[in-house]
Amino acid sequence: MKKYQTKTTIYFLFVLWLVLAFLFESSDLLLSNYFYNPKSNWSKFLEMYGEIPGLVISLIGIYIYFTSNKLSSNAKKILVYFLLMLLSTVGVIYINFLVISNAFGVRLNSSLEIIILIAGSSLINLFALIYIKNKLKFSFKQFLFSRIVLRMLTFGFLLTTLPLKFLWGRIRFRDFNGDFSNFTTWYLPNGINGNDSFPSGHAAMSWILISLFILLADKSIFRRTAIKTIIIGYALLVCFSRIVIGAHFASDVLFGSMFMISSYVISKHFLYEEQLNRK
């Protein structure tokens, strides 16, 4: 990616971010009041399962990186392997939790059920890592994909979206119960109070799918356009569903989305810069 192209994209995203953030500052409540529909079945479905595609892509990226990373020292290898195993285990646990609780109605009320979930998910993840490490080989492009996924996951989610959710303490629209006296705009943090509306984790996780764009370079323009349209359309649908179901304001999904999109653009730029410098 050429430098001027990256800078243009970053400037465009930043200006778009600022414009929308300004607009949503005064229209968050208006938009939520207009679109809120707690009976929307498609929004309920995406609330239950909308994160799973992004979680699966994250796991695939972790698994590929696990098999392909080449570090200079054993100490670094041990640390990276430990972190990747921890991250992938948490991902498998969360996916299994979503499926078990939403599809089968299991509420995991007992300690035994929680232990079984954690132990079973850990074993599944361990076997998957061992199998992929020993049996599968990946291309250079797939390795680049894995690095972009990990950077998006780290900078777009783990270091921004996730901690801000708990630190910002913004109440969800559906929790107001008709009283908007404790509504706050997106730029006013409330501290740790149990609320976690800002920013949207569903939105961030849906946009991690754009990491797949790196694998489309050698595809036909029709296939590239079709796949990109599906991915972007899906992410936008998830974002809109969060407003419809009352789980987030428009500004919540804006920031969750922009954190992930920005991390993709910047990660892709620096990875290509690294490859050019090696040549």
Side-chain angles (χ1 to χ4, degrees), residues 87-180:
L87 197 57
S88 57
T89 299
V90 171
V92 174
I93 290 172
Y94 189 48
I95 290 174
N96 286 335
F97 167 75
L98 290 175
V99 173
I100 291 170
S101 60
N102 292 321
F104 302 103
V106 179
R107 295 305 169 202
L108 302 175
N109 294 321
S110 70
S111 299
L112 179 60
E113 290 174 330
I114 295 173
I115 291 172
I116 291 173
L117 171 65
I118 295 174
S121 299
S122 300
L123 286 175
I124 292 172
N125 184 61
L126 180 61
F127 287 141
L129 284 170
I130 293 174
Y131 177 82
I132 292 171
K133 176 73 174 175
N134 295 320
K135 299 293 185 180
L136 301 182
K137 301 294 182 182
F138 299 98
S139 66
F140 177 73
K141 186 188 296 184
Q142 290 168 331
F143 179 49
L144 282 182
F145 157 77
S146 73
R147 294 183 68 185
I148 287 178
V149 168
L150 280 175
R151 293 188 184 195
M152 292 178 70
L153 192 61
T154 301
F155 298 108
F157 188 78
L158 295 177
L159 296 180
T160 50
T161 300
L162 194 59
L164 281 176
K165 287 179 73 67
F166 299 104
L167 295 174
W168 224 251
R170 192 184 195 189
I171 189 171
R172 296 176 186 270
F173 177 81
R174 63 189 176 195
D175 293 335
F176 282 119
N177 295 320
D179 178 14
F180 301 124

Side-chain angles (χ1 to χ4, degrees), residues 16 29 37-38 83 86 94 137 144 147 153 217 223-224 233:
L16 179 64
L29 267 178
N37 180 10
L83 292 175
L86 178 63
Y94 189 48
K137 301 294 182 182
L144 282 182
R147 294 183 68 185
L153 192 61
R223 184 171 295 184
R224 288 201 309 270

Side-chain angles (χ1 to χ4, degrees), residues 214-232:
I214 197 72
L215 302 176
L216 302 177
D218 58 347
K219 306 299 181 184
S220 67
I221 187 170
F222 175 80
R223 184 171 295 184
R224 288 201 309 270
T225 302
I227 295 175
K228 287 182 178 181
T229 300
I230 292 171
I231 289 173
I232 293 173

Side-chain angles (χ1 to χ4, degrees), residues 201-214:
H202 273 71
M205 195 53 62
S206 68
W207 283 104
I208 204 170
L209 296 175
I210 63 176
S211 59
L212 293 170
F213 290 179
I214 197 72

Side-chain angles (χ1 to χ4, degrees), residues 66-99:
F66 189 87
T67 67
S68 308
N69 79 87
K70 298 177 181 179
L71 299 172
S72 56
S73 68
N74 289 329
K76 288 183 179 180
K77 283 184 179 180
I78 292 172
L79 177 61
V80 169
Y81 284 151
F82 172 76
L83 292 175
L84 291 177
M85 288 186 68
L86 178 63
L87 197 57
S88 57
T89 299
V90 171
V92 174
I93 290 172
Y94 189 48
I95 290 174
N96 286 335
F97 167 75
L98 290 175
V99 173

Side-chain angles (χ1 to χ4, degrees), residues 29-38 40 173 240 243-246:
L29 267 178
L30 179 65
L31 291 170
S32 290
N33 270 309
Y34 184 80
F35 290 112
Y36 181 50
N37 180 10
S40 171
F173 177 81
F240 183 57
I243 300 172
V244 172
I245 206 66

